[in-house]
Structure formats: C-alpha cells, structure tokens
Amino acid sequence: MIAPVVRDFVEFGQNFLKKASDYKNVKTIDFVKPTEIQKYFESAKTYLMTSESEGFSNTMMEAMQNKCPVLSYKVNNDNIFGNNEIGFCANGDLKMFFEYFEILSNNADLQTKFGLNGFNYLQKNHNKQQIINEFIKLFVN
C-alpha cells in the first residue's frame, strides 16, 4: 500500500501507518517517485481511492492507463463508475467499500473487464492528441 503521510494530517497518517503495521499481509510504502509508479499500477489488482472529496484525480487516470480497476470510497464524478464500468464506488459506505473490495479481489474476470473499460475510457475521452485537435479547431474555424 502506497500511503504517504499528508502534511495537513500528520497525526492521522502516523496512526494509520501504525495500525497497518499490525497486519502481516500489508506492506506500506511512504513515497514512490513518479518515474517508478507505473510498475505498482501494473502489478496491482485494484486501485483504492479513499478520498472523500477529490476531482477526477491523476492517480485514478494512472491506474486506468495501466488497466487497473478502480474502487472509490466516495468520489464518483459524473457517475464515471456506473456509466463506464471501470470500477465501483461505495458512495461513502464503508461496509459497501469492503464488499466491493472482496468482489474485485476474488474475480479476475471483473478486474480485467473494469481495467480494459478504464483504459478505453481514457483513450476515448482523455486522449492528448484528440484534445489538441479539438483545441486547434477552436482557433482555425
């Protein structure tokens, strides 16, 4: 689990890391260089987004770029999960978050489906060249 302690929540972060260390099957990593993050997404079964309020995050896009399904605790901008089948959103329900985690953990076919759907969503909606072409059209026409 990559879980850097956030500056504004140091006490919370330190308490979290202490509790996580009690689990033998959980390894926490404080920081990963941007140039090295891809290998973690490539080997991950699921990207867990635990934020309660965030936009369409870069880390979510990095997961999708690497065909990693997304499980969000609360963030579901424009119902991206329901509309595109790229993962699940628990809508702030911790019990549902754990249920979705168990479903994804035990279903490799669903992981693959959501991962591919996320990758395809990015290619269709966030393709750099497509966005540049649309931007250019604004000034050419």
Side-chain angles (χ1 to χ4, degrees):
M1 176 184 298
I2 300 170
V5 174
V6 178
R7 245 186 329 224
D8 296 337
F9 300 97
V10 172
E11 184 179 345
F12 174 84
Q14 290 172 341
N15 287 336
F16 173 82
L17 292 175
K18 184 180 181 311
K19 288 180 183 178
S21 70
D22 291 340
Y23 295 92
K24 293 178 182 174
N25 63 342
V26 175
K27 176 184 175 186
T28 58
I29 301 167
D30 180 52
F31 177 78
V32 176
K33 294 177 185 177
T35 56
E36 297 174 7
I37 195 70
Q38 184 170 348
K39 69 180 178 182
Y40 290 95
F41 282 117
E42 288 173 349
S43 66
K45 290 184 178 182
T46 303
Y47 169 67
L48 303 178
M49 185 172 180
T50 57
S51 177
E52 292 188 357
S53 61
E54 189 169 342
F56 187 58
S57 72
N58 289 337
T59 54
M60 187 188 310
M61 285 193 279
E62 288 172 328
M64 293 164 63
Q65 183 64 36
N66 288 284
K67 300 177 184 167
C68 183
V70 179
L71 171 55
S72 174
Y73 172 66
K74 194 170 185 178
V75 175
N76 190 9
N77 301 53
D78 298 326
N79 193 27
I80 190 170
F81 298 101
N83 292 338
N84 302 284
E85 293 187 298
I86 62 171
F88 291 122
C89 179
N91 296 311
D93 182 331
L94 191 58
K95 181 180 177 193
M96 184 61 66
F97 186 77
F98 286 116
E99 287 177 17
Y100 283 145
F101 179 76
E102 188 169 340
I103 289 168
L104 278 169
S105 295
N106 295 313
N107 191 328
D109 291 337
L110 192 59
Q111 291 170 18
T112 299
K113 176 184 174 180
F114 285 170
L116 286 171
N117 288 349
F119 180 83
N120 290 333
Y121 172 85
L122 280 185
Q123 297 306 308
K124 180 180 176 188
N125 297 287
H126 297 275
N127 178 288
K128 181 173 65 173
Q129 192 57 53
Q130 180 181 346
I131 292 169
I132 289 170
N133 291 342
E134 292 296 320
F135 188 74
I136 289 170
K137 284 181 190 176
L138 291 172
F139 296 101
V140 174
N141 294 331

